[in-house]
Coordinates of all heavy atoms in Angstrom, one line a residue:
M164 N 90.9 65.3 138.9 CA 90.5 66.5 139.6 C 89.1 66.4 140.0 O 88.2 66.0 139.3 CB 90.7 67.7 138.6 CG 90.3 69.0 139.3 SD 90.7 70.5 138.3 CE 89.6 70.3 136.9
V165 N 88.9 66.8 141.3 CA 87.5 66.7 141.8 C 86.8 68.0 141.5 O 87.3 69.1 141.6 CB 87.6 66.6 143.4 CG1 86.2 66.6 144.0 CG2 88.4 65.4 143.8
T166 N 85.6 67.8 140.9 CA 84.7 69.0 140.6 C 83.3 68.7 141.1 O 83.0 67.5 141.4 CB 84.6 69.2 139.1 OG1 84.1 68.1 138.5 CG2 86.0 69.5 138.5
D167 N 82.6 69.7 141.3 CA 81.1 69.5 141.6 C 80.3 70.6 140.9 O 80.9 71.6 140.5 CB 80.9 69.5 143.1 CG 81.3 70.8 143.8 OD1 80.6 71.8 143.5 OD2 82.3 70.7 144.5
R168 N 79.1 70.3 140.8 CA 78.2 71.3 140.0 C 78.0 72.6 140.7 O 77.6 73.6 140.1 CB 76.8 70.6 139.8 CG 77.0 69.5 138.8 CD 75.6 68.9 138.5 NE 75.0 68.5 139.7 CZ 74.1 67.5 139.8 NH1 73.6 67.0 138.7 NH2 73.5 67.2 141.0
T169 N 78.3 72.7 142.0 CA 78.1 73.9 142.8 C 79.3 74.8 142.9 O 79.3 75.9 143.4 CB 77.5 73.7 144.2 OG1 78.5 72.9 144.9 CG2 76.2 72.9 144.1
A170 N 80.5 74.3 142.4 CA 81.7 75.0 142.5 C 81.7 76.2 141.5 O 81.2 76.2 140.4 CB 82.9 74.2 142.1
S171 N 82.2 77.4 142.0 CA 82.3 78.6 141.2 C 83.4 78.4 140.1 O 84.2 77.6 140.2 CB 82.6 79.8 142.1 OG 84.0 79.7 142.5
S172 N 83.3 79.3 139.1 CA 84.3 79.3 138.1 C 85.7 79.6 138.7 O 86.7 79.0 138.2 CB 84.0 80.3 137.0 OG 83.9 81.6 137.5
T173 N 85.8 80.4 139.7 CA 87.0 80.7 140.4 C 87.6 79.5 141.1 O 88.8 79.2 141.0 CB 86.8 81.8 141.4 OG1 86.3 82.9 140.8 CG2 88.1 82.2 142.1
T174 N 86.7 78.7 141.8 CA 87.2 77.5 142.4 C 87.7 76.5 141.4 O 88.7 75.9 141.6 CB 86.0 76.9 143.2 OG1 85.6 77.8 144.3 CG2 86.4 75.6 143.9
L175 N 86.9 76.3 140.3 CA 87.4 75.4 139.3 C 88.7 75.8 138.7 O 89.6 74.9 138.4 CB 86.3 75.2 138.2 CG 85.0 74.6 138.7 CD1 83.9 74.6 137.6 CD2 85.2 73.2 139.2
A176 N 88.9 77.1 138.5 CA 90.2 77.6 137.9 C 91.3 77.3 138.9 O 92.4 76.9 138.5 CB 90.1 79.1 137.6
F177 N 91.1 77.5 140.2 CA 92.1 77.3 141.2 C 92.4 75.8 141.2 O 93.6 75.4 141.2 CB 91.7 77.7 142.5 CG 92.7 77.5 143.6 CD1 93.8 78.3 143.7 CD2 92.6 76.5 144.5 CE1 94.8 78.1 144.6 CE2 93.5 76.2 145.5 CZ 94.6 77.0 145.5
R178 N 91.4 74.9 141.2 CA 91.6 73.5 141.2 C 92.4 73.0 139.9 O 93.1 72.0 140.0 CB 90.3 72.7 141.3 CG 89.7 72.9 142.6 CD 88.3 72.2 142.6 NE 87.6 72.3 143.9 CZ 86.3 72.0 144.0 NH1 85.6 71.5 143.0 NH2 85.8 72.1 145.2
A179 N 92.3 73.7 138.8 CA 93.0 73.4 137.6 C 94.5 73.7 137.6 O 95.2 73.3 136.8 CB 92.3 74.0 136.4
M180 N 94.9 74.6 138.6 CA 96.3 75.0 138.7 C 97.2 73.8 139.1 O 96.7 72.8 139.7 CB 96.5 76.1 139.7 CG 95.7 77.4 139.3 SD 96.0 78.7 140.4 CE 97.4 79.5 139.6
P181 N 98.5 73.8 138.8 CA 99.4 72.7 139.2 C 99.3 72.6 140.7 O 99.2 73.5 141.5 CB 100.7 73.2 138.7 CG 100.4 74.1 137.6 CD 99.2 74.8 138.0
K182 N 99.5 71.3 141.2 CA 99.4 71.0 142.6 C 100.4 71.8 143.4 O 100.0 72.2 144.5 CB 99.6 69.5 142.8 CG 99.4 69.0 144.2 CD 99.5 67.5 144.2 CE 99.2 67.0 145.6 NZ 99.3 65.5 145.7
D183 N 101.6 72.0 143.0 CA 102.6 72.7 143.8 C 102.2 74.1 144.0 O 102.4 74.7 145.1 CB 104.0 72.6 143.2 CG 104.1 73.2 141.8 OD1 103.2 73.1 141.0 OD2 105.1 73.9 141.5
I184 N 101.6 74.7 143.0 CA 101.1 76.1 143.1 C 100.0 76.2 144.1 O 99.9 77.0 145.0 CB 100.7 76.7 141.8 CG1 102.0 76.9 140.9 CG2 100.0 78.1 142.0 CD1 101.7 77.3 139.5
R185 N 99.0 75.3 144.0 CA 97.9 75.2 145.0 C 98.4 75.1 146.4 O 97.9 75.7 147.3 CB 96.9 74.1 144.6 CG 96.2 74.4 143.3 CD 95.0 73.4 143.1 NE 95.2 72.1 143.5 CZ 95.6 71.1 142.7 NH1 95.8 71.3 141.4 NH2 95.8 69.8 143.2
A186 N 99.4 74.2 146.6 CA 99.9 73.9 147.9 C 100.6 75.2 148.5 O 100.4 75.5 149.7 CB 100.9 72.8 147.9
Y187 N 101.3 75.9 147.6 CA 102.0 77.1 148.1 C 101.0 78.2 148.5 O 101.1 78.8 149.5 CB 103.0 77.6 147.1 CG 103.6 78.9 147.6 CD1 104.6 78.9 148.6 CD2 103.2 80.2 147.1 CE1 105.1 80.0 149.1 CE2 103.7 81.3 147.7 CZ 104.7 81.2 148.6 OH 105.2 82.4 149.2
V188 N 100.0 78.3 147.6 CA 98.9 79.3 147.9 C 98.3 79.0 149.2 O 98.0 79.9 150.0 CB 97.9 79.4 146.7 CG1 96.7 80.3 147.1 CG2 98.6 80.0 145.5
K189 N 97.9 77.8 149.4 CA 97.3 77.4 150.7 C 98.2 77.6 151.9 O 97.7 78.0 152.9 CB 96.9 75.9 150.6 CG 95.7 75.7 149.7 CD 95.3 74.2 149.6 CE 94.2 74.0 148.7 NZ 93.8 72.5 148.6
S190 N 99.5 77.5 151.7 CA 100.4 77.8 152.8 C 100.4 79.3 153.2 O 100.7 79.6 154.3 CB 101.8 77.3 152.5 OG 102.5 78.1 151.6
V191 N 100.2 80.1 152.2 CA 100.2 81.6 152.4 C 98.9 82.0 153.0 O 98.8 82.8 153.9 CB 100.5 82.3 151.0 CG1 100.3 83.8 151.2 CG2 101.9 82.0 150.6
V192 N 97.7 81.6 152.4 CA 96.5 82.2 152.8 C 95.7 81.3 153.8 O 94.7 81.7 154.3 CB 95.5 82.5 151.6 CG1 96.2 83.5 150.7 CG2 95.1 81.3 150.9
G193 N 96.1 80.0 154.0 CA 95.5 79.1 154.8 C 94.5 78.2 154.1 O 94.1 78.5 152.9
D194 N 94.1 77.1 154.7 CA 93.2 76.2 154.1 C 92.3 75.6 155.2 O 92.8 74.9 156.1 CB 94.0 75.0 153.4 CG 93.1 74.1 152.6 OD1 92.0 74.6 152.2 OD2 93.4 73.0 152.4
P195 N 91.0 76.0 155.2 CA 90.3 76.8 154.1 C 90.8 78.2 154.2 O 91.2 78.7 155.2 CB 88.9 76.6 154.5 CG 88.9 76.4 156.0 CD 90.1 75.6 156.3
P196 N 90.7 78.9 153.0 CA 91.1 80.3 152.9 C 90.4 81.2 153.9 O 89.2 81.1 154.1 CB 90.8 80.7 151.5 CG 90.3 79.5 150.8 CD 90.1 78.4 151.8
K197 N 91.2 82.1 154.5 CA 90.6 83.1 155.4 C 90.3 84.3 154.6 O 90.9 84.6 153.6 CB 91.5 83.4 156.5 CG 92.8 84.1 156.1 CD 93.7 84.4 157.3 CE 95.0 85.1 156.9 NZ 94.9 86.4 156.3
P198 N 89.4 85.2 155.1 CA 89.1 86.4 154.4 C 90.4 87.3 154.5 O 91.1 87.2 155.5 CB 88.0 87.1 155.3 CG 87.4 86.0 156.0 CD 88.5 85.0 156.2
M199 N 90.8 87.9 153.4 CA 92.0 88.7 153.3 C 91.7 90.2 153.1 O 90.8 90.5 152.3 CB 92.9 88.2 152.2 CG 93.4 86.8 152.4 SD 94.4 86.2 151.0 CE 95.9 87.1 151.1
S200 N 92.5 91.0 153.7 CA 92.3 92.4 153.5 C 92.9 92.8 152.1 O 93.6 92.0 151.5 CB 93.1 93.2 154.6 OG 94.5 93.1 154.4
T201 N 92.6 93.9 151.6 CA 93.1 94.4 150.4 C 94.6 94.4 150.4 O 95.3 94.0 149.5 CB 92.6 95.8 150.0 OG1 91.1 95.7 149.9 CG2 93.1 96.3 148.7
M202 N 95.2 94.9 151.5 CA 96.6 95.0 151.7 C 97.3 93.6 151.6 O 98.3 93.4 151.0 CB 97.0 95.7 152.9 CG 98.5 96.0 153.0 SD 99.2 96.9 151.6 CE 98.4 98.4 151.6
E203 N 96.6 92.6 152.3 CA 97.2 91.2 152.3 C 97.1 90.6 150.8 O 98.1 90.0 150.4 CB 96.3 90.3 153.2 CG 96.6 90.5 154.6 CD 95.6 89.8 155.5 OE1 94.4 89.8 155.3 OE2 96.1 89.1 156.5
I204 N 96.1 90.9 150.1 CA 96.0 90.5 148.7 C 97.1 91.2 147.9 O 97.8 90.5 147.1 CB 94.6 90.8 148.1 CG1 93.6 89.9 148.8 CG2 94.6 90.6 146.6 CD1 92.1 90.3 148.5
M205 N 97.3 92.5 148.1 CA 98.3 93.2 147.3 C 99.7 92.6 147.7 O 100.5 92.5 146.8 CB 98.2 94.7 147.6 CG 97.0 95.3 147.0 SD 96.6 97.0 147.6 CE 98.2 97.8 147.4
L206 N 99.9 92.3 148.9 CA 101.2 91.7 149.3 C 101.4 90.4 148.7 O 102.5 90.1 148.1 CB 101.3 91.6 150.9 CG 102.5 90.9 151.4 CD1 103.8 91.7 151.1 CD2 102.4 90.7 152.9
A207 N 100.4 89.5 148.7 CA 100.6 88.2 148.1 C 100.9 88.3 146.6 O 101.8 87.6 146.1 CB 99.3 87.4 148.3
I208 N 100.2 89.2 145.9 CA 100.4 89.4 144.5 C 101.8 90.0 144.2 O 102.6 89.5 143.4 CB 99.4 90.3 143.8 CG1 98.0 89.6 143.8 CG2 99.8 90.7 142.4 CD1 96.8 90.5 143.5
G209 N 102.2 91.0 145.0 CA 103.5 91.6 144.9 C 104.7 90.6 145.2 O 105.7 90.6 144.4
Q210 N 104.5 89.7 146.2 CA 105.5 88.7 146.4 C 105.6 87.7 145.3 O 106.8 87.4 144.9 CB 105.2 88.0 147.7 CG 105.4 88.7 149.0 CD 105.0 88.0 150.2 OE1 104.0 87.2 150.2 NE2 105.7 88.2 151.3
A211 N 104.5 87.3 144.7 CA 104.6 86.4 143.6 C 105.3 87.0 142.4 O 106.1 86.4 141.7 CB 103.1 86.0 143.2
M212 N 105.0 88.3 142.2 CA 105.7 89.0 141.1 C 107.2 89.1 141.3 O 108.0 88.9 140.4 CB 105.1 90.4 140.9 CG 103.6 90.3 140.3 SD 102.8 91.9 140.3 CE 103.7 92.7 139.0
A213 N 107.6 89.4 142.5 CA 109.0 89.6 142.9 C 109.7 88.2 142.7 O 110.8 88.2 142.2 CB 109.1 90.1 144.3
W214 N 109.1 87.2 143.2 CA 109.7 85.8 143.1 C 109.8 85.4 141.6 O 110.8 84.8 141.3 CB 108.9 84.8 143.9 CG 108.9 85.0 145.4 CD1 110.0 85.5 146.1 CD2 107.9 84.8 146.3 NE1 109.6 85.6 147.4 CE2 108.4 85.1 147.6 CE3 106.6 84.3 146.2 CZ2 107.6 85.0 148.7 CZ3 105.8 84.1 147.3 CH2 106.3 84.5 148.6
E215 N 108.8 85.8 140.8 CA 108.9 85.4 139.4 C 110.0 86.2 138.7 O 110.7 85.6 137.9 CB 107.6 85.6 138.7 CG 107.6 85.3 137.3 CD 107.9 83.8 137.0 OE1 107.8 82.9 137.9 OE2 108.3 83.5 135.8
R216 N 110.2 87.4 139.1 CA 111.3 88.2 138.5 C 112.6 87.6 138.8 O 113.5 87.5 138.0 CB 111.3 89.7 139.0 CG 110.4 90.6 138.3 CD 110.6 92.0 138.8 NE 109.6 92.9 138.3 CZ 109.4 94.1 138.7 NH1 110.2 94.6 139.7 NH2 108.5 94.9 138.1
E217 N 112.8 87.2 140.1 CA 114.1 86.7 140.5 C 114.3 85.3 139.8 O 115.4 85.0 139.4 CB 114.1 86.5 142.1 CG 115.4 85.9 142.6 CD 116.6 86.8 142.2 OE1 116.5 88.0 142.1 OE2 117.7 86.2 142.1
R218 N 113.3 84.5 139.7 CA 113.4 83.2 139.1 C 113.8 83.4 137.6 O 114.7 82.8 137.1 CB 112.1 82.4 139.1 CG 112.2 81.0 138.5 CD 110.8 80.4 138.3 NE 110.1 81.1 137.2 CZ 110.3 81.0 135.9 NH1 111.3 80.2 135.5 NH2 109.6 81.7 135.0
S219 N 113.2 84.4 137.0 CA 113.5 84.7 135.5 C 114.9 85.2 135.4 O 115.6 84.8 134.5 CB 112.5 85.7 135.0 OG 111.2 85.2 135.0
A220 N 115.3 86.1 136.3 CA 116.7 86.6 136.3 C 117.7 85.5 136.4 O 118.7 85.5 135.7 CB 116.8 87.7 137.3
R221 N 117.5 84.6 137.4 CA 118.4 83.5 137.5 C 118.5 82.6 136.3 O 119.6 82.1 135.9 CB 118.0 82.6 138.8 CG 118.4 83.2 140.1 CD 118.3 82.2 141.2 NE 117.0 81.5 141.2 CZ 115.9 81.9 141.9 NH1 115.9 83.0 142.6 NH2 114.8 81.2 141.9
Q222 N 117.3 82.4 135.6 CA 117.4 81.6 134.4 C 118.2 82.3 133.3 O 119.0 81.6 132.6 CB 115.9 81.4 133.9 CG 115.2 80.2 134.5 CD 114.0 79.9 133.8 OE1 113.2 80.7 133.5 NE2 113.8 78.6 133.5
V223 N 118.1 83.6 133.2 CA 118.8 84.3 132.2 C 120.3 84.2 132.5 O 121.2 84.0 131.6 CB 118.4 85.8 132.1 CG1 119.3 86.6 131.2 CG2 117.0 85.8 131.5
E224 N 120.7 84.4 133.8 CA 122.1 84.3 134.2 C 122.7 82.9 133.9 O 123.9 82.8 133.6 CB 122.3 84.6 135.6 CG 122.1 86.1 136.0 CD 122.1 86.4 137.4 OE1 121.8 85.5 138.3 OE2 122.5 87.5 137.8
D225 N 121.9 81.9 133.8 CA 122.3 80.5 133.6 C 122.4 80.2 132.1 O 122.8 79.1 131.7 CB 121.4 79.5 134.2 CG 121.5 79.6 135.8 OD1 122.5 80.1 136.3 OD2 120.6 79.1 136.4
M226 N 122.1 81.2 131.2 CA 122.1 80.9 129.8 C 123.5 80.8 129.2 O 124.4 81.6 129.6 CB 121.3 82.0 129.0 CG 119.8 82.1 129.3 SD 119.0 83.5 128.6 CE 118.9 82.9 126.9
F227 N 123.6 79.9 128.3 CA 124.9 79.7 127.6 C 124.7 79.7 126.1 O 123.6 79.3 125.7 CB 125.6 78.4 128.1 CG 126.0 78.4 129.5 CD1 125.1 78.0 130.5 CD2 127.3 78.8 129.8 CE1 125.6 78.1 131.8 CE2 127.7 78.8 131.1 CZ 126.8 78.4 132.1
D228 N 125.7 80.1 125.4 CA 125.6 80.0 123.9 C 125.9 78.5 123.5 O 126.2 77.7 124.3 CB 126.5 81.0 123.2 CG 128.0 80.7 123.5 OD1 128.4 79.6 123.9 OD2 128.8 81.6 123.2
E229 N 125.9 78.3 122.2 CA 126.0 76.9 121.7 C 127.4 76.3 122.0 O 127.6 75.1 122.0 CB 125.7 76.9 120.2 CG 126.6 77.7 119.3 CD 126.0 79.2 119.2 OE1 125.0 79.5 119.7 OE2 126.8 80.0 118.6
D230 N 128.4 77.2 122.3 CA 129.7 76.7 122.6 C 129.9 76.5 124.1 O 131.0 76.1 124.6 CB 130.8 77.6 122.1 CG 130.8 77.7 120.6 OD1 130.5 76.7 119.9 OD2 131.0 78.8 120.0
G231 N 128.9 76.7 124.9 CA 129.0 76.6 126.4 C 129.5 77.8 127.1 O 129.7 77.7 128.3
F232 N 129.6 78.9 126.4 CA 130.1 80.1 127.1 C 128.9 81.0 127.5 O 127.9 81.1 126.7 CB 131.0 81.0 126.1 CG 132.3 80.3 125.8 CD1 132.4 79.7 124.6 CD2 133.3 80.2 126.7 CE1 133.6 79.0 124.3 CE2 134.5 79.6 126.4 CZ 134.6 78.9 125.2
P233 N 128.9 81.6 128.6 CA 127.8 82.5 129.1 C 127.6 83.6 128.1 O 128.5 84.1 127.5 CB 128.3 83.0 130.4 CG 129.4 82.1 130.9 CD 130.0 81.6 129.6
L234 N 126.3 83.9 127.9 CA 126.0 85.1 127.1 C 126.6 86.3 127.7 O 126.4 86.6 128.9 CB 124.5 85.2 126.9 CG 123.8 84.1 126.1 CD1 122.3 84.2 126.2 CD2 124.2 84.1 124.7
S235 N 127.2 87.2 126.9 CA 127.9 88.3 127.4 C 126.9 89.3 128.1 O 127.2 90.0 129.0 CB 128.6 89.0 126.3 OG 127.8 89.4 125.3
S236 N 125.7 89.4 127.6 CA 124.7 90.3 128.1 C 123.8 89.7 129.1 O 122.8 90.4 129.6 CB 123.9 90.9 127.0 OG 123.2 89.9 126.3
A237 N 124.0 88.5 129.5 CA 123.1 87.8 130.4 C 122.9 88.5 131.8 O 121.8 88.7 132.3 CB 123.5 86.3 130.7
R238 N 124.0 89.0 132.3 CA 123.9 89.7 133.6 C 123.2 91.0 133.5 O 122.4 91.4 134.3 CB 125.3 90.0 134.2 CG 126.0 88.7 134.7 CD 127.2 89.1 135.5 NE 128.1 87.9 135.7 CZ 127.9 86.9 136.5 NH1 126.8 86.9 137.2 NH2 128.8 86.0 136.6
D239 N 123.4 91.7 132.4 CA 122.6 93.0 132.1 C 121.1 92.7 132.0 O 120.3 93.4 132.5 CB 123.1 93.7 130.9 CG 124.6 94.2 131.1 OD1 125.0 94.4 132.2 OD2 125.2 94.4 130.0
I240 N 120.8 91.7 131.3 CA 119.4 91.3 131.1 C 118.8 90.9 132.4 O 117.7 91.3 132.8 CB 119.3 90.1 130.1 CG1 119.7 90.6 128.7 CG2 117.8 89.6 130.0 CD1 119.9 89.5 127.7
A241 N 119.5 90.1 133.2 CA 119.0 89.7 134.5 C 118.8 90.9 135.4 O 117.7 90.9 136.1 CB 120.0 88.7 135.2
E242 N 119.7 91.8 135.5 CA 119.5 93.0 136.3 C 118.3 93.8 135.8 O 117.6 94.4 136.7 CB 120.8 93.8 136.4 CG 121.9 93.2 137.2 CD 121.4 92.9 138.6 OE1 120.8 93.7 139.3 OE2 121.7 91.7 139.0
A243 N 118.1 93.9 134.5 CA 116.9 94.7 134.0 C 115.6 94.0 134.4 O 114.6 94.6 134.8 CB 117.0 94.8 132.5
I244 N 115.6 92.6 134.5 CA 114.4 91.9 134.9 C 114.2 92.2 136.4 O 113.1 92.5 136.8 CB 114.6 90.4 134.7 CG1 114.6 90.1 133.2 CG2 113.6 89.6 135.5 CD1 115.0 88.6 132.9
R245 N 115.3 92.2 137.2 CA 115.1 92.5 138.6 C 114.6 93.9 138.9 O 113.8 94.1 139.8 CB 116.4 92.2 139.3 CG 116.8 90.8 139.5 CD 118.1 90.6 140.3 NE 118.4 89.2 140.5 CZ 119.3 88.6 139.8 NH1 120.1 89.2 138.9 NH2 119.5 87.3 139.9
R246 N 115.0 94.8 138.1 CA 114.5 96.2 138.2 C 113.1 96.4 137.7 O 112.5 97.4 138.1 CB 115.5 97.2 137.5 CG 116.8 97.4 138.1 CD 117.5 98.5 137.4 NE 117.6 98.4 136.0 CZ 118.6 97.8 135.3 NH1 119.6 97.3 136.0 NH2 118.6 97.8 134.0
G247 N 112.7 95.5 136.9 CA 111.4 95.6 136.3 C 111.3 96.5 135.0 O 110.3 97.0 134.6
D248 N 112.5 96.6 134.4 CA 112.6 97.4 133.2 C 111.7 96.7 132.1 O 111.6 95.5 132.0 CB 114.0 97.5 132.6 CG 114.9 98.2 133.6 OD1 114.4 98.8 134.6 OD2 116.1 98.3 133.3
E249 N 111.1 97.6 131.3 CA 110.3 97.1 130.2 C 111.1 97.0 128.9 O 112.0 97.6 128.7 CB 109.1 98.0 130.0 CG 108.2 97.9 131.2 CD 106.9 98.8 131.0 OE1 106.7 99.2 129.9 OE2 106.3 99.0 132.0

């Protein structure tokens, strides 16, 4: 990883993220990053949260018990994740 003594802690933290995440973020905000409005920042965060919910829900739906049968409550759990239930 490339670092330099003048990089901010935010820059160093971003550089420490996995390469695929950095590439996706750059595709959303541009490289070099452009100034973003508060609404653009809120949208980017909201999209990331929604995508993570969907990814998590798909993982739960794919769960199987030790005999290879789907968990009976997997669909209910997945839908609760999609709704954002706590």
Side-chain angles (χ1 to χ4, degrees):
M164 175 171 70
V165 177
T166 61
D167 61 69
R168 293 183 301 203
T169 61
S171 70
S172 59
T173 303
T174 298
L175 294 175
F177 181 75
R178 289 177 181 167
M180 297 182 94
K182 188 176 182 177
D183 62 320
I184 293 174
R185 291 192 321 265
Y187 178 73
V188 169
K189 288 178 180 182
S190 76
V191 171
V192 301
D194 188 23
K197 65 178 179 68
M199 294 176 73
S200 70
T201 301
M202 189 53 64
E203 288 173 311
I204 293 168
M205 290 169 48
L206 175 61
I208 292 168
Q210 286 176 327
M212 292 171 69
W214 292 327
E215 181 59 20
R216 275 189 189 168
E217 182 56 32
R218 185 196 66 78
S219 297
R221 281 194 312 269
Q222 275 191 314
V223 169
E224 287 177 333
D225 292 341
M226 294 174 78
F227 291 87
D228 66 17
E229 59 275 353
D230 295 323
F232 295 102
L234 294 172
S235 60
S236 59
R238 289 193 198 283
D239 294 336
I240 294 168
E242 287 307 311
I244 290 170
R245 287 187 178 103
R246 287 191 307 267
D248 294 355
E249 294 182 13

